[in-house]
Amino acid sequence: MKKLTLVIVLSFIVLVYPYQANASKMPCSLILEPIDKHLKNAKGTALIYKVQLNPPSFPRTNISILGVHLPKPSSYGRYDGYEGVASVPNEVSWRFRMYPTPEDESPTWAGRFDLITVDMKNVKIQIRLSNSKTEKLGPPILQARMALCK
């Protein structure tokens, strides 16, 4: 009788407990690496998590991006800042301004976007050069890809 009970309990655990080998639980984070390998000190991070905005509404997904030791945007041409860009290929993309901290030498750039409602699957996250006057994006400086965050 004890063996039968043990088999039933173990079978229940195996069958009912969800298999999540490919899933990351919210919050998720990832490291953004430089595309140009000469930018040895440039790094970034992205944090992805659910937020409840005011007034209360359904939960949405937030992406917050931070970049450190980024080159001066003007060193790449007619750029004056950086933008965070996140995209789900062939579905949707988001872009948002990043703002520098007040340090004179090598400020930290940070920004966030709170209104995402789609599943975060196969998301590419980048920090890209930006011209605030023309609203044109330049090439990516840092990037990473995330398979799944839920």
Side-chain angles (χ1 to χ4, degrees), residues 25 30 34 42 51 73 86 106 109 112-113 125-126 133 135 139 141 148:
K25 295 280 188 197
L30 65 152
V51 293
S106 189
W109 291 80
R112 73 170 200 243
F113 187 75
I125 299 175
Q126 299 176 322
K133 292 174 184 71
E135 296 186 5
I141 300 299
L148 181 63

Side-chain angles (χ1 to χ4, degrees), residues 19-41:
Y19 180 70
Q20 297 183 351
N22 294 326
S24 295
K25 295 280 188 197
M26 290 255 187
C28 301
S29 63
L30 65 152
I31 304 297
L32 306 176
E33 296 289 344
I35 292 175
D36 179 354
K37 299 307 175 197
H38 292 97
L39 297 174
K40 293 179 182 178
N41 291 329

Side-chain angles (χ1 to χ4, degrees), residues 25-97:
K25 295 280 188 197
M26 290 255 187
C28 301
S29 63
L30 65 152
I31 304 297
L32 306 176
E33 296 289 344
I35 292 175
D36 179 354
K37 299 307 175 197
H38 292 97
L39 297 174
K40 293 179 182 178
N41 291 329
K43 295 281 184 202
T45 187
L47 173 64
I48 299 146
Y49 68 102
K50 294 288 185 189
V51 293
Q52 186 74 41
L53 303 173
N54 287 328
S57 65
F58 62 92
R60 298 172 192 228
T61 300
N62 165 281
I63 293 181
S64 298
I65 299 177
L66 177 109
V68 295
H69 298 290
L70 300 175
K72 289 185 179 181
S74 59
S75 67
Y76 283 89
R78 298 179 58 133
Y79 301 106
D80 58 1
Y82 287 100
E83 287 192 26
V85 177
S87 62
V88 177
N90 302 316
E91 190 172 334
V92 67
S93 66
W94 308 273
R95 64 186 266 194
F96 51 92
R97 283 192 73 176

